[in-house]
């Protein structure tokens, strides 16, 4: 049988002191753990907020960040200066003029045309659009004229917009002896009528540093509804600040109006931004050189609108736009 342990006052004092030290260390450890938990929680909340700003508000965050980022000096240093303008006049391209002599502008051989465009009726209408655009920009010093249309034909390395501008200059429509005219330019990337408007707005911004106060589109009368009822609504452009001037071909145009309903108005009614199905495929067919526009850089406020492609095909872009105010 083992003897009972012997306790002394000294041993009991040491035990009590050790216990007190251990309790103090325990409280310190608990406080440290609590502090770490608080810091981790704060860090977690901060990361959630950052993640939400990047993914939870997809409509505005990219444009806001891009708008705050200045354009590279390597780009801005090569720009000669801004053009003063308030109104945007758009002439939408429909073909490519490849000629050199303006007096031969009605010759089919000087144009790259679709089969249904061949003959003089379509070409006459094209030139009428060009003339009207030139008249509008000459009538008002606050207007900037943009001939809009991309590199849509594999048989030519020029764009619809550039060829229209060249024909206007060769025909001396600006009354300036064939030299360059500051308030007329081309937009060389659009692949359909919706992009004619959107990309021309971006081109206006490249030249002026601002966005237009008013837009005038010159095109076929048969396309009026497509622009006024669909494209302007998709862009949320104020109706009171938009004018459409329609000039059709001469003669019977009933077949053209039916074709517009079937191939233009109805498809865009069902696919407002042209980014699905047949309209998207048409854009791809009209881009034989794999080109893409530069407006993400020059018009960063429109980045989210450029990329807006609703799943249901018809939801209106909900984000902020420069012309909202």
């Amino acid at each position: 049988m083992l003897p009972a342990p012997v306790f002394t006052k000294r041993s009991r004092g040491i035990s009590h002191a050790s216990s007190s030290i251990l309790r103090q260390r325990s409280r310190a450890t608990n406080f440290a753990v609590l502090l770490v938990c608080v810091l981790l929680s704060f860090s977690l909340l901060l990361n959630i907020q950052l993640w939400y700003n990047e993914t939870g508000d997809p409509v505005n965050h990219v444009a806001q960040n891009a708008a705050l980022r200045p354009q590279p000096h390597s780009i801005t240093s090569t720009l000669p200066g801004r053009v003063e303008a308030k109104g945007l006049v758009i002439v939408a391209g429909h073909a490519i003029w490849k000629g050199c002599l303006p007096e031969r502008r009605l010759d089919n051989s000087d144009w790259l045309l679709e089969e249904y465009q061949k003959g003089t009726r379509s070409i006459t209408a094209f030139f009428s659009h060009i003339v009207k655009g030139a008249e509008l920009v000459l009538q008002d010093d606050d207007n900037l004229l943009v001939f809009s249309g991309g590199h849509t034909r594999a048989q030519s390395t020029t764009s619809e917009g550039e060829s229209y501008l060249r024909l206007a200059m060769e025909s001396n429509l600006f009354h300036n002896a064939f030299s360059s005219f500051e308030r007329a330019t081309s937009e060389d990337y659009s692949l359909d009528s919706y992009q004619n408007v959107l990309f021309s707005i971006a081109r206006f911004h490249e030249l002026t540093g601002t966005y237009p106060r008013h837009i005038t589109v010159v095109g076929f009368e048969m396309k009026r509804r497509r622009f006024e009822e669909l494209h302007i609504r998709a862009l949320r452009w104020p109706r009171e600040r938009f004018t459409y001037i329609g000039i059709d071909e001469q003669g019977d145009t009933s077949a053209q109006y039916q074709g517009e309903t079937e191939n233009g108005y109805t498809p865009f009614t069902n696919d407002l931004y042209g980014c699905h199905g047949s309209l998207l495929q048409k854009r791809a067919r009209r881009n034989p050189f794999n080109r893409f526009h530069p407006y993400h850089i020059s018009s960063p406020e429109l980045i989210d609108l450029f990329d807006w492609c609703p799943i249901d095909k018809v939801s209106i872009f909900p984000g902020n736009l420069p012309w909202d105010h």
Side-chain angles (χ1 to χ4, degrees), residues 121 249-254:
R121 291 175 58 191
E249 299 176 3
Q250 298 296 315
D252 182 15
T253 57
S254 55

Side-chain angles (χ1 to χ4, degrees), residues 71-79 297:
Q71 292 184 357
H73 177 71
S74 59
I75 294 176
T76 58
S77 61
T78 65
L79 303 179
I297 295 176

Side-chain angles (χ1 to χ4, degrees), residues 46-279:
L46 181 61
N47 279 278
I48 291 175
Q49 182 179 8
L50 292 173
W51 175 85
Y52 177 79
N53 288 338
E54 293 180 358
T55 62
D57 188 14
V59 175
N60 289 316
H61 82 275
V62 174
Q64 291 171 351
N65 292 338
L68 295 174
R69 188 183 308 120
Q71 292 184 357
H73 177 71
S74 59
I75 294 176
T76 58
S77 61
T78 65
L79 303 179
R82 298 294 190 184
V83 176
E84 296 294 329
K86 299 177 182 177
L88 168 61
V89 178
I90 303 170
V91 174
H94 298 89
I96 293 177
W97 183 63
K98 59 178 182 175
C100 298
L101 302 175
E103 58 269 21
R104 293 183 51 188
R105 60 181 174 268
L106 297 184
D107 290 354
N108 276 244
S109 60
D110 277 0
W111 290 82
L112 288 174
L113 302 166
E114 300 290 352
E115 191 64 35
Y116 68 87
Q117 295 174 325
K118 292 181 178 178
T120 60
R121 291 175 58 191
S122 292
I123 297 173
T124 301
F126 298 161
F127 190 68
S128 296
H129 299 164
I130 295 172
V131 171
K132 175 55 71 173
E135 290 176 354
L136 292 173
V137 77
L138 290 175
Q139 289 170 3
D140 190 341
D141 291 341
D142 284 335
N143 280 340
L144 172 68
L145 172 59
V146 176
F147 294 106
S148 175
H151 297 76
T152 58
R153 307 294 200 281
Q155 302 93 322
S156 175
T157 56
T158 192
S159 69
E160 295 176 1
E162 188 277 334
S163 75
Y164 274 38
L165 176 60
R166 186 164 50 84
L167 179 54
M169 293 174 61
E170 293 292 334
S171 302
N172 199 24
L173 296 183
F174 303 118
H175 308 158
N176 62 338
F178 311 102
S179 62
S180 61
F181 182 66
E182 184 183 55
R183 290 185 294 110
T185 188
S186 63
E187 187 288 304
D188 303 315
Y189 296 93
S190 57
L191 302 171
D192 58 32
S193 54
Y194 169 73
Q195 291 186 346
N196 283 144
V197 183
L198 176 57
F199 289 3
S200 292
I201 293 173
R203 178 66 177 138
F204 183 98
H205 184 260
E206 281 186 335
L207 290 172
T208 68
T210 63
Y211 289 95
R213 298 182 184 179
H214 189 276
I215 295 176
T216 300
V217 173
V218 180
F220 286 103
E221 176 63 30
M222 63 183 173
K223 295 186 177 182
R224 176 185 294 274
R225 293 176 61 220
R226 192 200 302 190
F227 282 86
E228 291 185 343
E229 299 177 13
L230 301 178
H231 297 338
I232 298 308
R233 181 162 62 93
L235 296 171
R236 297 205 335 260
W237 184 266
R239 182 64 186 84
E240 66 275 10
R241 292 163 54 191
F242 179 80
T243 301
Y244 189 88
I245 298 176
I247 304 174
D248 273 343
E249 299 176 3
Q250 298 296 315
D252 182 15
T253 57
S254 55
Q256 285 88 337
Y257 273 76
Q258 181 179 352
E260 160 60 17
T261 299
E262 295 176 355
N263 302 314
Y265 184 83
T266 298
F268 271 108
T269 299
N270 299 324
D271 183 8
L272 206 54
Y273 294 87
C275 56
H276 298 274
S278 62
L279 291 177

